[in-house]
Amino acid sequence: MKILSMSTATNNLSVALNDDSKIIAEKNEYDARNHSSHLDPLIDQILKEHNLKLAEIDRFAVAIGPGSYTGLRIGVTTVKMFASILHKDVVGISTLQALAASCAEEGTLIVAGIDARNDNYFAGAYINKENDWGPECVIPDGHYHIDTLLSAVAEYCADNNLENVIYVGSGFEKQEETIKKTNISFSFGTEKQNVVHAGLIGKLALNAQPDDPDQLLPNYLRRTQAEIDWHNKTGEAYKPDSNYVEEV
Amino acid sequence: MVNKKDIRILAFESSCDETSASVVKNGREIESLIVATQIKSHQRFGGVVPEVASRHHIEVITQITNEALKEAHVAWKDIDAIAVTYGPGLVGALLIGVSAAKAASMATGIPLIGVDHIMGHIMAAQLKEEIAYPALALQVSGGHTEIVLLKDPTHLEIVGDTRDDAAGEAYDKIGRVLGVNYPAGKTIDEWAQKGKDTFEFPRAMIKEDDYDFSFSGLKSAFINTYHHAEQIHQNLNKYDLAASFQAAVIDVLATKTIRAIKQYAPKTFIMGGGVAANHGLRERMNHEIANLPRNLQPKVILPELKLCGDNAAMIGAAAYNLYQEGKFADLTLDADPSLELPYASEMLQ
Ligand SMILES: [Zn+2]
């Protein structure tokens, strides 16, 4: 199965071609500032270099979130359209699972996170088990304050007799002093591990359940501030988004 | 004209709070038009929240694309170009349309055309009647108030614009004071029909001999009058307030536009944008133009009411003109939130 995968979730723009479980090619633009302009040309380039047409791709995969809201929408819109038009599979993969998949360590808790500023993180924890489809989520992806995240990590390690934690992603180094207080031995991901790789998204996508392109949406992990303020002010319940959009 | 092939364009529009897709034939004929509006959502906040808008756009983008094709009874192979609004507008919102159009272009091999949203509004007129050039357009919406000279179908120049608030923005702001739900234009227009111009609000810049506008003074005068009355527990007639506000807006728009028509002697006069649906403004412009000397009377095209608001059909109309000129975009096309039509050289002096 030929899989084209991409991540526009962080400032690393990544595109990859996989054939079953093998990564054939991966292109990265580190610290890219303009995913909108660069994504399609990068896809075009990787396909041309491997003599493939978009229509020959069997499955499209994308980092579904968390990540930059605008960035996520660029990638998700792109694969939604590809899959919808070409009648192919589409799969959304957790950005955090993809980060965790860059760590091969076993018996180690892998905490994957994206800096959400003010000591908050979009984060989740994963563990490599004996399977061929990738790290398994043990602390769900969410929007956590660093203190909340670290107590969940400490609790999980205590309950499961884990003695090592690896923090991978962005913004964890500045928490070094706080992390030390957990009294669990830890390390940080390498520069390479700390960026999202589309090739790993492709690998995770191989065994994932395909989504309906119409239903595939970014996993923001947070409501907009306007909705939170409205909810707090009016006490009204959040309704499904479809209640608010109507064809005229 | 023998066997001239029909040109069919699939167009996208997502610059603000409507997600729209449309199939337009030869820049003139709407074969399908799907508009998903988010007004209900933004009414919770009293105005458009950009992040909420972007989230809604992506929820419906593939569905409206398929519906537009289905309603037009066409398939991708029947489409000659894919068009999309790339600015001006809300960047996150624009990016959904731009990403979708580029992905569609890549998946199908159909060429891509990037369209200026304002050019689209003006070309809504082309969906009603053929435009004779040169033409002059009054473009009035929540974000823009401009007098635009159309030298030909693709060369548009701004000859006057607002120095501060757009006319539609002023409507929304005074609407908020009167407790009218966003968007307020339609209600204020209805109230205005029932009231009289008794407050004599200022007509800013009406005497100046350029084609520029300013609406923030009017907005402030309105709000001060309203709050002053509130403080002294005086009840003002909301219909008269609406009529007075609307009269001030329309006076300035009409006076300046007529002056521009006299100077540029266009063959066609066009109105575009959400405020072009305002009944008071439509009547006034028709009336003023009918009173011009015969040789100065342009043909008047006021777009259909449902095509004054944001929609993809107008983008398809404008894209057809760009198609004829071979003005295509490539895969690097990006959203440009502050895209502007060029200013006429006399504006730059
Ligand atoms: Zn508009």
Side-chain angles (χ1 to χ4, degrees):
Chain A
M1 183 184 334
K2 290 199 172 50
I3 303 174
L4 176 73
S5 52
M6 62 202 71
S7 172
T8 48
T10 65
N11 55 11
N12 182 45
L13 174 63
S14 188
V15 170
L17 263 178
N18 288 25
D19 196 355
D20 289 332
S21 58
K22 190 169 168 281
I23 301 172
I24 306 174
E26 184 184 271
K27 287 187 180 291
N28 291 286
E29 281 186 17
Y30 300 101
D31 225 357
R33 292 271 165 244
N34 195 330
H35 294 347
S36 164
S37 274
H38 293 195
L39 174 64
D40 290 335
L42 207 57
I43 293 171
D44 197 47
Q45 199 186 341
I46 206 167
L47 289 171
K48 279 194 178 129
E49 283 172 12
H50 292 85
N51 260 317
L52 280 169
K53 293 202 162 58
L54 209 54
E56 294 172 88
I57 300 295
D58 303 296
R59 179 169 282 196
F60 298 101
V62 67
I64 196 80
S68 140
Y69 300 155
T70 299
L72 290 173
R73 282 190 290 265
I74 292 170
V76 174
T77 303
T78 302
V79 295
K80 273 168 82 84
M81 292 299 286
F82 284 168
S84 175
I85 293 169
L86 299 168
H87 305 289
K88 297 296 176 68
D89 284 352
V90 66
V91 172
I93 297 294
S94 158
T95 315
L96 301 173
Q97 190 186 22
L99 277 169
S102 67
C103 306
E105 288 86 345
E106 282 174 27
T108 297
L109 187 67
I110 308 161
V111 179
I114 296 170
D115 195 344
R117 291 192 294 268
N118 301 324
D119 291 333
N120 290 305
Y121 290 79
F122 288 118
Y126 290 79
I127 208 150
N128 283 315
K129 295 201 172 148
E130 281 177 43
N131 64 44
D132 54 3
W133 52 265
E136 195 179 309
C137 186
V138 293
I139 296 175
D141 290 3
H143 180 255
Y144 300 99
H145 186 270
I146 186 71
D147 295 338
T148 317
L149 179 66
L150 293 179
S151 38
V153 166
E155 192 183 317
Y156 187 86
C157 288
D159 291 351
N160 295 277
N161 296 317
L162 288 177
E163 287 169 352
N164 285 296
V165 181
I166 175 164
Y167 292 89
V168 65
S170 58
F172 282 128
E173 279 87 349
K174 66 185 176 197
Q175 304 289 351
E176 189 164 358
E177 292 310 312
T178 319
I179 294 171
K180 272 182 187 160
K181 291 181 198 148
T182 58
N183 285 321
I184 307 165
S185 100
F186 67 95
S187 61
F188 294 120
T190 62
E191 212 173 307
K192 188 164 183 250
Q193 288 171 323
N194 286 337
V195 298
V196 185
H197 291 277
L200 296 173
I201 292 172
K203 278 190 148 186
L204 295 167
L206 180 64
N207 296 299
Q209 196 60 29
D211 295 293
D212 174 349
D214 288 347
Q215 304 303 324
L216 188 76
L217 291 176
N219 189 14
Y220 303 105
L221 291 179
R222 256 205 119 190
R223 286 194 180 274
T224 62
Q225 198 57 47
E227 287 171 293
I228 296 168
D229 293 345
W230 165 82
H231 171 76
N232 291 341
K233 199 174 104 190
T234 63
E236 280 188 56
Y238 298 115
K239 283 182 232 150
D241 288 317
S242 54
N243 283 26
Y244 294 113
V245 181
E246 53 189 356
E247 276 187 22
V248 288
Chain B
M1 300 268 269
V2 190
N3 274 342
K4 190 178 160 289
K5 186 189 170 293
D6 286 331
I7 301 300
R8 222 175 236 109
I9 294 180
L10 172 71
F12 292 99
E13 155 63 40
S14 70
S15 64
C16 190
D17 60 348
E18 341 267 352
T19 329
S20 181
S22 173
V23 175
V24 177
K25 193 169 93 179
N26 298 329
R28 295 288 315 274
E29 204 177 307
I30 300 176
E31 295 194 314
S32 67
L33 173 57
I34 312 294
V35 182
T37 179
Q38 317 169 353
I39 283 182
K40 266 189 178 171
S41 181
H42 300 290
Q43 277 175 343
R44 291 178 292 175
F45 320 117
V48 177
V49 176
E51 174 60 21
V52 173
S54 306
R55 290 187 180 195
H56 286 314
H57 285 307
I58 194 173
E59 286 159 22
V60 297
I61 191 71
T62 49
Q63 293 94 316
I64 64 154
T65 307
N66 290 327
E67 283 172 42
L69 292 170
K70 199 174 157 201
E71 200 178 287
H73 304 289
V74 296
W76 287 103
K77 65 168 175 43
D78 305 312
I79 302 294
D80 298 286
I82 295 167
V84 64
T85 306
Y86 71 105
L90 304 168
V91 65
L94 288 165
L95 277 170
I96 304 301
V98 169
S99 302
K102 290 200 294 181
S105 172
M106 275 190 92
T108 59
I110 298 168
L112 181 72
I113 298 173
V115 178
D116 181 312
H117 181 75
I118 301 303
M119 185 187 269
H121 270 302
I122 292 169
M123 287 305 161
Q126 189 176 288
L127 295 165
K128 194 174 181 190
E129 260 182 82
E130 197 167 331
I131 300 169
Y133 293 90
L136 193 88
L138 173 62
Q139 160 64 26
V140 242
S141 65
H144 295 264
T145 307
E146 289 164 351
I147 295 179
V148 178
L149 180 66
L150 290 78
K151 295 182 164 174
D152 62 48
T154 61
H155 291 92
L156 279 59
E157 286 181 354
I158 296 174
V159 295
D161 73 352
T162 180
R163 303 251 171 109
D164 40 57
D165 292 1
E169 193 179 354
Y171 270 93
D172 285 336
K173 284 179 179 165
I174 70 123
R176 201 170 301 165
V177 173
L178 292 172
V180 177
N181 242 346
Y182 148 88
K186 200 167 170 229
T187 308
I188 303 290
D189 187 19
E190 282 163 12
W191 288 3
Q193 314 295 322
K194 298 177 191 162
K196 285 201 180 66
D197 177 10
T198 54
F199 290 93
E200 288 171 10
F201 290 126
R203 271 83 166 146
M205 302 179 69
I206 198 163
K207 295 220 167 69
E208 277 158 61
D209 60 2
D210 55 25
Y211 302 117
D212 286 351
F213 305 100
S214 164
F215 293 104
S216 76
L218 166 62
K219 176 196 67 189
S220 305
F222 182 98
I223 294 173
N224 289 342
T225 302
Y226 189 87
H227 284 160
H228 178 70
E230 246 183 1
Q231 272 164 11
I232 59 168
H233 305 288
Q234 187 190 5
N235 228 337
L236 299 181
N237 182 311
K238 67 178 183 182
Y239 298 135
D240 289 345
L241 276 170
S244 302
F245 170 81
Q246 177 145 312
V249 172
I250 292 178
D251 254 356
V252 183
L253 290 175
T255 306
K256 294 237 162 173
T257 305
I258 290 297
R259 199 183 295 149
I261 289 173
K262 285 179 180 159
Q263 182 184 336
Y264 293 101
K267 293 201 173 102
T268 313
F269 170 69
I270 294 168
M271 279 195 341
V275 185
N278 184 289
H279 290 89
L281 182 59
R282 288 168 89 99
E283 277 163 31
R284 174 72 177 267
M285 287 313 303
N286 271 325
H287 178 77
E288 293 265 358
I289 287 171
N291 281 346
L292 284 172
R294 260 281 143 95
N295 61 337
L296 271 177
Q297 279 182 24
K299 170 163 88 173
V300 177
I301 312 179
L302 306 182
E304 282 186 46
L305 292 182
K306 67 166 186 159
L307 298 178
C308 289
D310 291 348
N311 68 84
M314 67 188 199
I315 302 304
Y320 174 79
N321 303 334
L322 296 165
Y323 180 95
Q324 296 297 338
E325 300 274 313
K327 290 183 173 156
F328 295 102
D330 64 26
L331 294 177
T332 61
L333 181 71
D334 195 6
D336 182 351
S338 46
L339 183 68
E340 268 181 356
L341 289 173
Y343 281 85
S345 52
E346 56 265 37
M347 281 279 291
L348 299 171
Q349 284 159 14

